[in-house]
Structures are given as structure tokens and as C-alpha cells.
Amino acid sequence: MTKIIFHLNTIAYGGVERVVSNLANRFAEMNFDVVITTQWHSDIEFALDPRVRRVHVGLLPIDEKSNRLSKILIRLKYLRAFIKSEKPDIMIAFDRNANYRALLASMGTVTPVIISVRNPPQIYYSSMINRIIVALLFPRAAGCVFQTSGQRDFFAKKIQRKSRIILNPLHEKYLGISPPSERKKEIVNSSRLEGYKNQAGIINAFIRLHHDYPDYILKIYGGDHGDGTKEILEGIISKHKAGDYVKLMGASDSLEKDIVNASIYVFNSDREGLPNVLMEAMALGLPVISTDCPCGGPAALINDGVSGLLIPVGDEEALCNALRRLLDNPQYAESLGREARKIGEVCNINTITAQWLDYIRCISHSE
């Protein structure tokens, strides 16, 4: 097995894209022939090892005037042509639409396809049309990778039997960083500005607490998803005249430097697969507070009360109480951070890459 093709929508900043770029770069370092096929380019993307080939298999300018069905068929045609030309030893698709495309485009070829579910299937795969597509296509997959048992258990037993649970790999830049001698009076979050990430709840909770902790500021790192969330957050900050102590910092590719000295990291998403940003904060040794959101990603990472605090989704009062608990007891907060740092022992790139390679080899030998 020498040639691996990854297929996903893009490699813009995001959780799926971060995982693929980390895996692809490591496989390239191990002298595999690695190709990433994507549907479109973005202005800001994860850096790839020069040995990783990036190939566009999405629409060309001439295709843009086609109707919706034609565009779907054109995308499949381009991907299928690439598979037949390259003849990869295995293809790995990430996320729902990429999973569908890879399984359809590979029909009639000898290329085995591993699909990967990265989001809560109760939301992304539960509609009637998606259930039909899953029933028709997923049995064709050579294997399926899940991040949590909650994702896996949504699907039929025949899918579960040929699946693996593999956590996300941490980038090496988040590992082995010494804890700060003194923490800044900052509470931080790092998530794309998008509605379900619920940064609004973090801001509202912090505004409620600020009069008791006037020396602290809240910094939110993340690019604008474009769904209006950024404007909503700016409106909350403006309404409460909180601009001096609530900051929208924009996207950053140096979070290991930006947030490492913060006092608390808060993750407040309504739903999530396995949040990379939470893993990164834990690996840096930050005391973390996270929603116990479906489908079990944060709970798979955090031992509640030992390596972080879990709170119910959408519970602003619980978030306030958790913040108070850590702000009032910095020694306890530091103990959480020390335990959180141990995530690096199980989610480092070497360990996760080895798990992927073991599964790939199992799939290859069974074909």
C-alpha cells in the first residue's frame, strides 16, 4: 500500500480540514504517495507538506452555469476520472457529502473507500433522504471511522462491525509546551464564529460575572463563518458597552502562543463531533470548561471534575457557576489543567497515525 487519496470539500480552517492536513503531512513524511482532492479552494487554508499533492476535482468555471443536478454529476465525473487515472491503494473520505461522492465515484473501480463520520449523525444523517442514501451507499464502504461511540451507535450493526473509533491527532505544536509561571487574567475560546458554537452564551455569562472579576477579559478567536453570528456577537458587546473587556480576535494559526497563558478555556458548542480546539486547549494544560454536547465528543475527552468541567448545553447559569468555581479556586483550576495535558499522551500524531495505518492495512488485506 503506497498511494493514499484523501477526499474532502476544502482544506480551509476547520476541524475536518485540520485532521486531514495533519494526517496527510505525517503520511508524506513516512514516504507514502499522498493526494488531497478537494472541491474548492479557500483564501486561508492549512499548510501542506510539499510532498502532498493537492488536486482540484470540483467545478470548473465553465460548469458554474449548469443546474444543480448537473453540477452533482459533473463533480462525480471529475472525481471518478481522477480515481481511475491514479488507481490509489485506498481512498479516505471525510464528512457527509465527501463520503457520498467517494462511494459513488468509486463504483466499478477496485479502489477501497474508507468513509469517516465527523459530525453528530443525529443531525447530519437523520433526514429521510440521508437515511436512504446511507442505506444504499454505506454498505459499499470498505470501512468507517468514527470519533466517538455516540456517532458509531447511530448506524446499522453492519456498518458498526467494520468500523473503528479513532480520535483526532493533535498537531505537535500543542505538545510539550511548559506551563506558564503566571497566568494572564484572560478567559479564552477558539471556535469559528457560527451559530451553533454559541459564543453568544459565553459573552453573556462573562458580562454577568464581570463586575465581580473586573480584571479579567474575554478573548474569542475564530474566523467569521458568514452566517451573521459575528454581527450578533458585536451587537451583544455593543449593547452592554463591553468592548473594553470582550474581544473578538479573528482567526489565528498560532493559538499555541495566543492562549497558552490564559486562565480558563471555555468551549460552549451546542453540538460537535470531537472538537479539535478543545483537545488543543487541554494539551496546552489549560483549565477547560465544556458543554457536554452530542454526540459525546467532549465527554470522551474530559473526566468531569478531574481534567475539566462539563456543563449542560445552553445552560448559561451552569457556565457562570463553572467560571466562578475556577476563578475562585485557581489551585483547583491548575490541577484540572495538569490532568488535561495528559490528552497529548493518547492523541499525539504518532499514536493516531499508527491507528489509522493499522486500520488501513486491515482494510487493504481484507479486500
Side-chain angles (χ1 to χ4, degrees), residues 65-299:
K65 294 182 180 179
S66 303
N67 60 43
R68 183 179 180 185
L69 177 59
S70 295
K71 286 181 178 179
I72 292 173
L73 296 175
I74 291 169
R75 292 178 193 276
L76 290 173
K77 181 182 75 171
Y78 290 157
L79 180 57
R80 180 176 177 81
F82 187 77
I83 294 170
K84 294 178 74 173
S85 171
E86 291 286 328
K87 297 180 175 62
D89 295 284
I90 199 145
M91 186 173 192
I92 307 173
F94 276 73
D95 233 352
R96 184 183 63 190
N97 290 344
N99 288 337
Y100 295 166
R101 279 194 300 270
L103 291 171
L104 285 167
S106 64
M107 283 184 176
T109 73
V110 296
T111 300
V113 176
I114 296 176
I115 57 176
S116 184
V117 174
R118 316 306 293 182
N119 291 305
Q122 296 84 350
I123 297 170
Y124 287 84
Y125 291 92
S126 62
S127 70
M128 181 61 71
I129 184 63
N130 280 294
R131 286 181 179 272
I132 292 171
I133 293 172
V134 165
L136 292 174
L137 290 184
F138 274 29
R140 291 200 64 257
C144 185
V145 170
F146 299 102
Q147 300 164 300
T148 69
S149 58
Q151 291 173 328
R152 179 198 61 200
D153 294 347
F154 175 84
F155 294 93
K157 294 294 183 183
K158 59 185 176 182
I159 303 300
Q160 295 181 33
R161 282 194 291 268
K162 58 181 177 180
S163 72
R164 287 272 182 98
I165 294 175
I166 303 178
L167 300 180
N168 295 347
L170 280 160
H171 194 288
E172 291 174 327
K173 69 182 182 178
Y174 293 98
L175 302 176
I177 296 179
S178 300
S181 56
E182 184 177 358
R183 293 202 176 273
K184 295 181 179 179
K185 293 186 175 182
E186 295 178 358
I187 296 168
V188 295
N189 164 269
S190 55
S191 295
R192 183 175 60 250
L193 303 187
E194 189 172 0
Y196 76 90
K197 301 289 186 179
N198 199 9
Q199 290 96 344
I202 303 175
I203 294 174
N204 286 327
F206 185 69
I207 288 172
R208 287 175 56 183
L209 295 179
H210 188 255
H211 66 281
D212 290 333
Y213 307 94
D215 295 335
Y216 282 83
I217 65 172
L218 171 64
K219 290 184 176 181
I220 295 176
Y221 294 86
D224 181 11
H225 182 65
D227 66 348
T229 296
K230 183 173 184 286
E231 290 74 20
I232 291 172
L233 301 182
E234 289 173 337
I236 296 172
I237 295 168
S238 175
K239 176 183 176 181
H240 293 277
K241 298 181 174 57
D244 289 341
Y245 58 90
V246 178
K247 309 287 185 181
L248 302 183
M249 307 299 293
S252 171
D253 194 31
S254 58
L255 288 173
E256 77 283 1
K257 299 174 183 176
D258 298 330
I259 69 173
V260 65
N261 296 328
S263 294
I264 301 171
Y265 178 91
V266 179
F267 186 77
N268 200 46
S269 187
D270 296 335
R271 63 181 189 272
E272 204 71 39
L274 192 74
N276 290 293
V277 291
L278 179 59
M279 294 173 61
E280 291 162 358
M282 294 176 70
L284 292 172
L286 288 172
V288 299
I289 299 169
S290 174
T291 45
D292 186 8
C293 57
C295 49

Side-chain angles (χ1 to χ4, degrees), residues 9-10 29 75 166 240 277 300 331 363:
N9 291 330
T10 177
E29 291 172 6
R75 292 178 193 276
I166 303 178
H240 293 277
V277 291
Q331 289 183 330
I363 295 296

